[in-house]
Each structure stands twice: as structure tokens, then as C-alpha cells.
Amino acid sequence: MTTPPLAAIILAAGKGTRMQSDLHKVLHPIAGQPMLMHLMASVDALAPAVQVVVVGAGRDQLAAALGDRATLAVQEPQLGTGHAVRQAQGPLAGFSGDVLILYGDVPLVRAETMQRMLDRLHAPDAPAIVVLGFEPEDTLRYGRVIAAGDRITKMVEHKDATEAERAVRLCNSGLMAARSDDLFALLDRVGNDNAAGEYYLVDIVNIANADGRTSAVVITDPHEVAGVNSRAELAAMEGAWQARRRADAMAAGVTLIAPDTVWFAHDTVLGRDVTIEPNVFFGPHVRVGDRVTIRANCHIEGAVIGTGCEVGPFARLRPGTVLGEKAKIGNFVETKKAVLGAGAKANHLTYLGDAEVGAGANVGAGTITCNYDGFFKYQTVIGDGAFIGSNSALVAPVTIGAGAIVGAGTVVTADVAPDALALARGAQTAKPGWAMRFREVMTAKKNSK
């Protein structure tokens, strides 16, 4: 049997007033990625033919964030979920296949769950609508799914439910699957004769039932269909996401000394036998090789860390950092667009920006690459096996040759040949007895006052 083409309709027209933010609600990040993009990544796993995002307030922000990744449909005014889905009818003109209805502020629905909905849609009894249901600890004000087995007999919003219906624990997540022909034909028959005067999406199930059609419910974990409407709910979802990611990391062979203090990004990649000490934060785009130790209090973003490296404590690796095998970055070292070869070391109190450090090179404490003149950035190249003495300033663009030595306290403004010594510091002078005479003069002056 061939698989029908798939369209996804993602509702994101809400104003999100409870977020108290100028940023559109669905663009607030979870693990460093906007929640809408979490959802779309799951949809992408099902290879949809088209995705339509229904927008209202903040549509310019969504247009900029989505680019050509989805078609936008505008809901104005906003007259309920059924009305919102109808706005996608134009962009889906001519489309024939399955449709998933999703919500931009319900971002963590897995592709596997979406596929279960589609599979149920194509079961032998051919339901008109498949609803994703869940059973929360507190049913709050969720709409209810009244079902016999997995067949739905009635859908009802909380505000319109009887006391008996409110006692039902199976709730409606709002997510649905339907065939495109069924979906829009049913939506055309939805009215707004209800307590809110809105066009409810759930009414398509009741209309299909009245026609003698079957609708079905697929049940999932409440955490998967949790929504975000406030900063507190965003923080709770972040915490839940991080807890699952930490568990996955440890199951895959990563040691987390204090798991609750380690924060991952949505795309963090960790090798085997990695050890991560407390209070480590990963921003987006980090890949960590096998047998790496990341010591406490590090901030790492946009970096590639090779096999056997050691990082920290108190290190900051910024985007563009690449550490070769067994390289070492120590305490209070910051790197940006810095590539360190195998076994290279910068053990403490160093800034390496726009730099290339050769294999086995050693960068002493207090060294900085002076990579910015206020207008442009410049490159520093340190050759294999070079030794940079403490408290040196390398004024880019500059190249330190392989095996060269830069004496402590040197300001390097010109290239250093391989195996040469570069030394640029003021000559040291000594004046015997000067300090004792100075103290005597100053003490006498102080005592005379």
C-alpha cells in the first residue's frame, strides 16, 4: 500500500499575552531552539509534502524565522481553533492526502506519536478523525474525549461539559489527523453555537459521528502534549526536557557527576566515556568526542572537542573552537574561532581568538591574541611545538613558527621564524639600597605631619 502525501497544519496565531514578551510565544527557546522548530523537526522526520503555519499576532517574526520552510496562513480575526484550521484551506488547495493538525506551543510531540495517529487513520475501520488524547493528573479545564475503547462517541469542551462528562479523565490535546477531503468538508459544517461563540475544531468529530462515521483516539503521555502559555510553563518544559536528555546521556555512557547542574542544547552530541563535572552549560552546535573530561563551571557553544581532550574548569569555548585529540584548555581560558592541534595546551588565564595553534604547542598563562583593531579581525598562527611564554601579547596578523619560543612578557608584532626566540621587554635595572632609602624618606615625611 502506498503512503499518502502528508500535510501539517501548525496553529500559532495566539497572542501569548501571558508570556509578557515582545517575542512571539512559539519562538521562545527550549534547549537553545525555538519551540516551534522542535515541533517542525519532528514533522520533518515524516517527510511532509507541505507545512502551513497559521499566524496572527507577531506574524512578521514568524515569517522571518521560518523563511521558506513553511507557508503562512493568516487568521484575522481569531474565532477559534476550527476557524484557524480553515485558514489553511487556501494554501492546501489541490492537496489530497493526510493532514496533521498541530500546535506551535505544544512542541515536544514525537514523530513516532504522529506516525501512530496516521497509522490509526488508515486502520481497516477507516476513522474520519484521529484525536491525540492524554490523561493528566489534573484535568483542569481540558476538553474531554468520551470513548468506548478507542472509538470516540463524543467530544466536548470543559465549559460545555456536564458534571458526568467532566469526571472523564481522558482529555483532548487538540492534535488531530484526518484526510484532507474529510477535514475541510467537516469544517464547513462547524458552527459557533456554544458558550464562547467560537468555531471549535473538536466539533468535526461530533459531526462525523452524527454522519455514522467512526473517529478514534490515540493516547500518549501527558508530558509529550504539554503546552507553554507562560514563563513558568516554559521553565518547567525546559526542566523536563533537560531531565530526559541527561538520562539519555548517562544511558549512552556519559558520566554526569551532578546531573541536575548540566544543561544541554537540542543538538549536543556526546561520545562514549565522557565525564562532565558540575555546572556545565552547552549552547547549540557542540560535538564532544570519546573520553573527554569537561571540568566544572564551563560554558561551551559551537565547538568541536576531539577525543581525549580536557576542558576547564572555568573555561569558555565560543563558536568556531575546534580542539584536536588530547588538546587541553584549562581554567579561565576563553577561545573563539580557535583551532588547536593534537596535544596543544592553553592551561590558564588565556584568550585565543581567530587563532590556529599547532600540535603540541604550549600557550602560557596570561597570553592573549590581539585579534581586533576596532574595525577588523585578524589571524594568529602558532606553529607545531611552539612555546609561548606567560603574559605575552600576540598582535595579529602574526605567525609564530614551529618550535619557536616567545619569552614571557613579550609583545609580538612581527612574524617569528621557526625555532627562533622572540623577546621584547624593557631591560631590567637594579639600584641597590633604593627601596630602603625610599621607605626612610616617606616614613619621615609621614611622621612630620
Side-chain angles (χ1 to χ4, degrees):
M1 184 176 68
T2 59
T3 301
L6 174 65
I9 300 173
I10 300 173
L11 305 187
K15 295 180 179 179
T17 53
R18 289 172 55 193
M19 294 295 287
Q20 296 293 320
S21 177
D22 294 331
L23 181 67
H24 195 289
K25 177 170 67 170
V26 301
L27 297 180
H28 282 264
I30 296 168
Q33 177 173 246
M35 65 175 85
L36 175 61
M37 303 312 176
H38 278 274
L39 180 64
M40 295 186 74
S42 293
V43 176
D44 287 344
L46 304 181
V50 60
Q51 297 187 65
V52 179
V53 178
V54 180
V55 300
R59 68 193 68 166
D60 292 342
Q61 292 183 14
L62 287 172
L66 288 166
D68 60 0
R69 191 171 177 182
T71 301
L72 299 187
V74 178
Q75 184 193 19
E76 191 62 50
Q78 294 167 26
L79 302 176
T81 51
H83 179 258
V85 174
R86 285 190 64 179
Q87 308 316 302
Q89 190 167 5
L92 292 181
F95 174 82
S96 181
D98 296 340
V99 179
L100 281 170
I101 300 170
L102 308 166
Y103 292 77
D105 58 1
V106 181
L108 301 186
V109 184
R110 297 175 302 141
E112 295 85 350
T113 299
M114 298 178 193
Q115 187 61 57
R116 283 201 296 132
M117 296 170 67
L118 297 171
D119 291 344
R120 184 64 185 90
L121 187 66
H122 292 282
D125 61 341
I129 308 294
V130 174
V131 174
L132 187 61
F134 66 110
E135 296 184 358
E137 291 185 11
D138 188 343
T139 56
L140 299 170
R141 305 186 68 82
Y142 293 112
R144 301 301 199 275
V145 181
I146 315 301
D150 73 344
R151 294 197 175 190
I152 301 171
T153 59
K154 183 180 181 182
M155 299 280 289
V156 60
E157 291 294 331
H158 178 91
K159 61 176 70 92
D160 298 312
T162 65
E163 287 303 314
E165 289 167 343
R166 290 180 181 181
V168 172
R169 296 202 54 77
L170 184 58
C171 294
N172 172 30
S173 71
L175 281 71
M176 295 185 181
R179 297 166 190 82
S180 56
D181 293 343
D182 285 336
L183 174 63
F184 293 113
L186 290 167
L187 280 171
D188 285 341
R189 298 163 61 190
V190 171
N192 64 345
D193 184 16
N194 52 60
E198 294 185 348
Y199 296 89
Y200 290 153
L201 178 62
V202 297
D203 282 351
I204 63 176
V205 175
N206 297 327
I207 294 170
N209 285 350
D211 290 346
R213 301 283 303 277
T214 297
S215 291
V217 62
V218 169
I219 300 176
T220 193
D221 188 295
H223 297 294
E224 191 174 3
V225 291
V228 174
N229 294 295
S230 67
R231 304 278 185 158
E233 290 175 353
L234 181 68
M237 185 168 287
E238 178 80 40
W241 189 97
Q242 293 292 340
R244 290 192 293 273
R245 182 65 182 88
R246 293 166 191 144
D248 290 345
M250 291 185 285
V254 174
T255 295
L256 304 180
I257 303 299
D260 289 350
T261 70
V262 177
W263 293 80
F264 294 110
H266 64 99
D267 59 353
T268 306
V269 177
L270 302 172
R272 288 167 58 89
D273 294 313
V274 171
T275 298
I276 303 175
E277 292 184 356
N279 301 314
V280 173
F281 182 90
F282 293 95
H285 313 314
V286 175
R287 290 192 290 119
V288 179
D290 297 339
R291 300 182 299 283
V292 168
T293 298
I294 301 176
R295 303 208 176 276
N297 301 296
C298 292
H299 189 288
I300 302 171
E301 180 177 2
V304 177
I305 301 174
T307 299
C309 288
E310 183 175 338
V311 177
F314 294 98
R316 183 183 182 195
L317 307 187
R318 292 167 58 192
T321 295
V322 179
L323 305 185
E325 183 176 1
K326 295 184 179 178
K328 184 175 180 182
I329 295 292
N331 52 288
F332 302 105
V333 173
E334 179 181 354
T335 61
K336 189 273 295 181
K337 288 187 180 179
V339 179
L340 276 68
K345 298 177 182 178
N347 279 326
H348 27 232
L349 301 164
T350 291
Y351 171 68
L352 297 173
D354 297 285
E356 182 179 324
V357 181
N362 188 94
V363 179
T367 294
I368 63 169
T369 56
C370 307
N371 58 325
Y372 183 51
D373 66 1
F375 296 92
F376 300 103
K377 297 290 182 73
Y378 302 94
Q379 184 85 358
T380 297
V381 177
I382 300 172
D384 294 351
F387 182 93
I388 312 299
S390 298
N391 201 35
S392 295
L394 311 181
V395 182
V398 70
T399 296
I400 312 299
I405 295 175
V406 174
T410 294
V411 177
V412 179
T413 58
D415 291 351
V416 179
D419 295 316
L421 168 65
L423 189 62
R425 64 168 80 107
Q428 180 173 315
T429 60
K431 298 181 178 182
W434 186 93
M436 182 179 65
R437 292 192 297 273
F438 173 78
R439 285 193 295 270
E440 289 174 349
V441 170
M442 297 307 291
T443 299
K445 184 179 294 186
K446 184 176 180 179
N447 291 339
S448 67
K449 291 184 178 180

